[in-house]
């Protein structure tokens, strides 16, 4: 495993061309997360529509991994119901804890499976997790998810 | 070259190991912590093997020998900076040394504090404490805390675009209200070597206590406390070939004498009653509890190693390597040096940013090629903000590095540029 294979083409593509980047109009919850060791920043906003579908806004600055992860997450989770979003988050967390050995489920994680190689580099795991932590925190703040469900 | 790098490397077993798929380890992160020669590892082990005991107590031969080892280490490290042993306090690291100094002010200034507080350490509203915009958090946050608790105001000398201190308004920033001037000798993020003597003289002109954070200078050049003109000086053992867990605070005797203790308990007392105690003279007053004996012994062995190389040769070696690296970095398209870009009054820590590639990604490419550098804000977040960058990549060389190491690093930067199309 070398570094080029950690930077999967999907990751680079999302880094260069972030999907749906920007804030939303009426956020019900918002979370700003920073990675104090390297200064990565991500803000995630959430709102649930009447059908119970999730809508996301985000912005941020930082390394390729954190910013691509935000883009992949926003694209993936847009329109999810709460349970599906939570399942995706849990699957992503588990993949990042796998030390890179996991075989993540593409049905749940979509493009986010590309981050499996990042799990081999402990210093980068926090970068990949940052937007997912922001999503969870924003959901709690919006009242859609209870603190205990973390 | 003034230093025989191949020969030096033989003394550092860690440099033989490989990293990331059998790459030779190119260690360019000595500003964070230096590697340790066998001599240091042996000195520490030897202490444990032969005379480990509690120092300054116990009526047995081992205790005597342990005390002797500890006090000899103090003498050696004091001499290393031109001082005497009674002026050298052992701490766990430079951060603790700087906190020890800062708390002398807070503890002297609290209401109902020591009634007999030395007025030099009493600060309050209307007083100012001066630092610079290039401080390590270790010499910034403690002073913010002093200000928060006492009502004093924090001021700082700014940094110009080339990473030098703005000295034009020196006399305005350090004025009659100033009670403390605490500055970094050599910046760990920019590499800048500051005109500390000038700042200390100005501090004394207005009656302030002058403090120097010498973490990045003592390991790399000849430093003499009397030439610096400071009242207090802090540094760490682990950046000068020594083990972790040992730091130093040098102080002028009359200044140390005026400082109340920081951490209290055993070993630092003179007499203890149920309702009050009196304290030992410095340096013991500042060394509560069982001290870091093995670490002090290891740090002294590190100092001995450096003395044998000769600090002037160490400085000259690093100066040559820094010049080599700066020249090539300056010529690389898309690379911007954060800090002085000429090799004048600067040390071997070189920070840079690469257009279009975040420092973390640059660092990853270097790591992939076996190069250890630091990425991030280097515990100098306000300095990064000053330069409008979220993070930098920093390479810092030492006695075991040569130009081949720099070349590997530069190649890795180019590879990152190719890969990211930057
Ligand atoms: C300039 C400077 N000051 C203070 C420190 C803090 O040293 P330590 O972490 O050993 O306490 C460092 C080390 O990172 C430094 O480079």
């Amino acid at each position: 495993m070398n570094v080029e294979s950690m930077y999967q083409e999907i990751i680079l593509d999302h880094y260069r061309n972030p999907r749906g980047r920007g804030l939303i109009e009426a956020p019900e919850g918002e979370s700003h997360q920073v990675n104090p060791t390297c200064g990565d920043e991500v803000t995630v906003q959430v709102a649930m529509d009447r059908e119970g579908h999730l809508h996301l806004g985000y912005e941020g600055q930082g390394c390729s991994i954190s910013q691509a992860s935000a883009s992949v997450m926003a694209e993936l989770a847009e329109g999810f119901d709460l349970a599906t979003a939570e399942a995706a988050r849990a699957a992503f967390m588990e993949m990042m804890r796998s030390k890179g050995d996991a075989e993540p489920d593409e049905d749940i994680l979509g493009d986010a499976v590309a981050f499996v190689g990042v799990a081999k580099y402990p210093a980068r795991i926090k970068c990949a997790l940052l937007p997912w932590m922001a999503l969870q925190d924003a959901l709690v703040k919006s009242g859609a998810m209870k603190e205990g469900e973390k | 070259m003034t230093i025989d790098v191949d020969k030096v490397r033989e003394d550092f077993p860690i440099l033989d190991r490989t990293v990331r798929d059998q790459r030779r380890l190119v260690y360019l992160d000595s500003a964070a912590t230096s590697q340790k020669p066998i001599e240091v590892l042996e000195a520490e082990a030897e202490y444990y093997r032969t005379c480990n005991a509690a120092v300054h107590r116990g009526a047995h031969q081992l205790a005597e020998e342990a005390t002797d080892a500890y006090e000899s280490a103090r003498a050696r490290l004091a001499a290393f900076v031109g001082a005497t042993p009674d002026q050298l306090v052992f701490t766990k690291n430079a951060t603790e040394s700087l906190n020890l100094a800062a708390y002398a002010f807070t503890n002297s200034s609290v209401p109902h504090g020591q009634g007999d507080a030395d007025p030099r350490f009493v600060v309050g509203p209307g007083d100012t404490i001066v630092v610079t915009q290039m401080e390590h958090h270790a010499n910034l946050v403690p002073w913010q805390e002093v200000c928060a608790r006492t009502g004093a105001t924090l001021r700082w000398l700014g940094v110009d675009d080339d990473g030098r201190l703005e000295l034009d308004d020196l006399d305005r920033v350090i004025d009659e209200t100033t009670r403390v001037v605490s500055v970094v000798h050599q910046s760990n993020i920019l590499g800048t070597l500051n005109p500390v003597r000038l700042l200390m003289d100005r501090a004394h002109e207005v009656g302030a206590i002058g403090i120097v954070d010498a973490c990045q200078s003592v390991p790399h050049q000849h430093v003499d406390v009397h030439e610096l003109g400071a009242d207090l000086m802090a540094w760490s053992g682990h950046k000068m070939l020594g083990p972790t867990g040992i730091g130093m605070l040098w102080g002028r005797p009359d200044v140390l004498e005026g400082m109340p203790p920081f951490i209290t308990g055993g070993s630092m007392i003179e007499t203890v009653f149920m309702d009050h105690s009196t304290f030992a003279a410095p340096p013991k007053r500042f060394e509560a509890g069982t001290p870091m004996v093995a670490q002090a012994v290891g740090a002294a062995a590190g100092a001995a190693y450096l003395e044998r190389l000769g600090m002037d040769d160490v400085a000259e070696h690093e100066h040559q390597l820094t010049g080599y690296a700066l020249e090539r970095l300056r010529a690389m398209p898309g690379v911007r040096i954060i800090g002085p870009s000429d090799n004048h009054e600067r040390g071997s820590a070189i920070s840079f940013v690469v257009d279009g590639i975040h420092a973390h990604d640059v660092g990853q490419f270097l790591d992939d090629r076996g190069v250890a550098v630091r990425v991030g804000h280097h515990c100098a977040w306000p300095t990064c903000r000053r330069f409008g960058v979220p993070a930098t990549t920093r390479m810092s060389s030492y006695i075991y590095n040569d130009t081949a190491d720099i070349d590997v690093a530069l190649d890795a930067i180019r590879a990152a540029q190719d890969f990211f199309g930057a």
Side-chain angles (χ1 to χ4, degrees):
Chain A
M1 171 106 191
N2 64 9
V3 69
E4 282 90 344
S5 60
M6 177 186 88
Y7 291 109
Q8 293 283 308
E9 200 45 56
I10 296 171
I11 295 179
L12 289 176
D13 186 43
H14 276 268
Y15 176 49
R16 295 193 182 111
N17 312 297
R19 317 289 151 76
R21 197 182 152 94
L23 299 179
I24 53 178
E25 242 161 52
E28 290 159 3
E30 176 176 316
S31 173
H32 176 71
Q33 298 284 324
V34 299
N35 183 353
T37 55
C38 64
D40 287 344
E41 294 183 49
V42 175
T43 300
V44 171
Q45 295 178 327
V46 295
M48 303 299 282
D49 65 20
R50 261 177 293 168
E51 283 78 47
H53 294 141
L54 177 61
H55 299 286
L56 285 144
Y58 75 98
E59 23 170 68
Q61 59 159 359
C63 70
S64 59
I65 302 298
S66 68
Q67 301 308 303
S69 181
S71 170
V72 168
M73 179 190 83
E75 190 178 52
L76 178 73
E78 180 69 27
F80 271 5
D81 61 27
L82 202 57
T84 314
E86 180 48 23
R89 193 194 61 82
F92 193 83
M93 299 289 268
E94 192 185 310
M95 177 175 78
M96 295 319 291
R97 272 195 294 263
S98 73
K99 300 195 158 76
D101 300 330
E103 283 176 29
D105 187 343
E106 201 165 345
D107 290 341
I108 298 176
L109 283 174
D111 281 357
V113 296
F115 289 86
V116 66
V118 177
K120 274 207 157 72
Y121 295 92
R124 301 310 289 275
I125 292 174
K126 179 88 193 272
C127 308
L129 286 181
L130 207 60
W132 292 90
M133 285 160 50
L135 171 62
Q136 182 184 35
D137 188 43
L139 284 171
V140 169
K141 283 187 176 147
S142 75
M145 205 168 109
K146 282 196 290 295
E147 190 88 39
E149 293 175 54
K150 270 196 178 180
Chain B
M1 284 281 168
T2 42
I3 283 182
D4 185 345
V5 172
D6 289 338
K7 197 154 151 289
V8 166
R9 277 193 188 158
E10 286 169 14
D11 298 330
F12 290 80
I14 203 169
L15 299 177
D16 289 337
R17 65 161 287 179
T18 56
V19 290
R20 303 277 184 230
D21 287 341
Q22 307 299 311
R23 301 277 186 169
R24 175 174 81 84
L25 170 64
V26 174
Y27 190 76
L28 289 173
D29 198 15
S30 294
T33 196
S34 74
Q35 295 302 345
K36 329 294 176 198
I38 296 170
E39 243 170 85
V40 167
L41 311 180
E42 283 297 318
E44 219 178 334
E46 184 70 5
Y47 167 78
Y48 282 126
R49 234 179 346 240
T50 62
C51 64
N52 175 54
V55 298
H56 294 309
R57 57 183 90 143
H60 53 78
Q61 185 177 343
L62 285 191
E64 278 171 22
E65 289 180 17
T67 303
D68 185 50
Y70 184 55
E71 292 305 327
S72 304
R74 191 195 305 277
R76 169 137 242 155
L77 286 155
F80 191 70
V81 294
T84 53
D86 54 307
Q87 305 166 352
L88 192 83
V89 180
F90 281 129
T91 61
K92 82 167 186 283
N93 53 30
T95 303
E96 187 179 304
S97 300
L98 289 161
N99 274 275
L100 196 168
Y103 270 91
F105 290 88
T106 300
N107 289 342
S108 299
S109 308
V110 287
H112 315 296
Q114 281 99 10
D116 50 354
D118 185 322
R120 290 176 296 177
F121 293 94
V122 180
V123 295
D127 292 332
T128 60
I129 292 173
V130 175
V131 296
T132 77
Q133 208 180 8
M134 62 169 91
E135 296 308 324
H136 187 282
H137 296 165
N139 193 36
L140 175 61
V141 183
W143 300 113
Q144 293 173 344
E145 287 294 294
V146 174
C147 290
R149 276 159 228 283
T150 64
T153 303
L154 192 69
R155 284 184 186 164
W156 53 90
L157 289 160
V159 172
D160 70 17
D161 289 344
D162 197 37
R164 305 282 181 189
L165 280 185
E166 282 167 350
L167 294 171
D168 289 350
D169 45 0
L170 176 64
D171 291 351
R172 202 179 45 76
V173 178
I174 303 178
D175 66 10
E176 306 304 324
T177 66
T178 306
R179 311 301 313 282
V180 184
V181 175
S182 190
V183 294
V184 66
H185 191 185
Q186 182 181 306
S187 160
N188 67 303
I189 176 166
L190 304 173
T192 320
L193 196 57
N194 289 316
V196 164
R197 179 77 214 204
L198 181 83
L199 301 172
M200 293 297 111
D201 286 350
R202 176 65 188 154
H204 292 146
E205 224 170 79
V206 299
I209 298 278
I211 305 173
V212 175
D213 172 357
C215 275
Q216 298 291 345
S217 53
V218 169
H220 302 283
Q221 66 180 82
H222 173 74
V223 171
D224 180 297
V225 288
H226 302 291
E227 285 167 22
L228 276 195
D231 296 309
L232 296 165
M233 181 173 94
W235 76 102
S236 276
H238 70 91
K239 295 181 201 278
M240 53 178 288
L241 311 183
T244 52
I246 187 81
M248 274 66 67
L249 180 72
W250 168 84
R252 259 183 34 208
D254 68 294
V255 172
L256 288 179
E257 190 49 59
M259 290 164 59
F262 170 40
I263 294 170
T264 56
S267 302
M268 52 75 69
I269 49 88
E270 184 184 51
T271 56
V272 177
F273 302 93
M274 229 23 242
D275 61 346
H276 77 283
S277 303
T278 59
F279 308 128
K284 281 247 209 82
R285 184 189 301 165
F286 307 108
E287 295 182 1
T290 303
M292 303 65 75
V293 185
Q295 290 82 349
V297 167
Y305 189 99
L306 288 170
E307 267 167 5
R308 226 174 36 246
L309 286 179
M311 287 313 288
D312 289 339
D313 283 351
V314 169
E316 181 54 30
H317 171 74
E318 289 185 34
H319 183 71
Q320 287 177 24
L321 274 186
T322 305
Y324 182 90
L326 284 174
E327 196 183 316
R328 280 154 186 80
L329 282 170
R330 275 198 310 262
M332 278 173 82
V335 173
R336 178 158 66 102
I337 295 167
I338 305 292
S341 54
D342 64 347
N343 197 15
H344 168 71
E345 296 294 312
R346 65 128 54 240
S348 64
I350 305 177
S351 268
F352 58 89
V353 290
V354 183
D355 288 346
I357 316 178
H358 189 273
H360 228 165
D361 295 313
V362 177
Q364 195 83 52
F365 263 76
L366 273 84
D367 171 59
D368 188 58
R369 280 150 181 77
V371 185
V373 294
R374 175 122 178 229
V375 300
H377 51 60
H378 315 286
C379 298
W381 213 331
T383 317
C384 280
R385 240 175 251 126
R386 156 67 184 82
F387 285 92
V389 295
T392 74
T393 306
R394 178 189 71 190
M395 53 187 199
S396 54
S397 50
Y398 205 17
I399 52 176
Y400 31 67
N401 295 115
D402 57 14
T403 54
D405 291 347
I406 307 284
D407 289 338
V408 178
L410 299 175
D411 281 345
I413 298 169
R414 275 182 217 106
Q417 286 178 314
D418 286 346
F419 184 75
F420 285 96

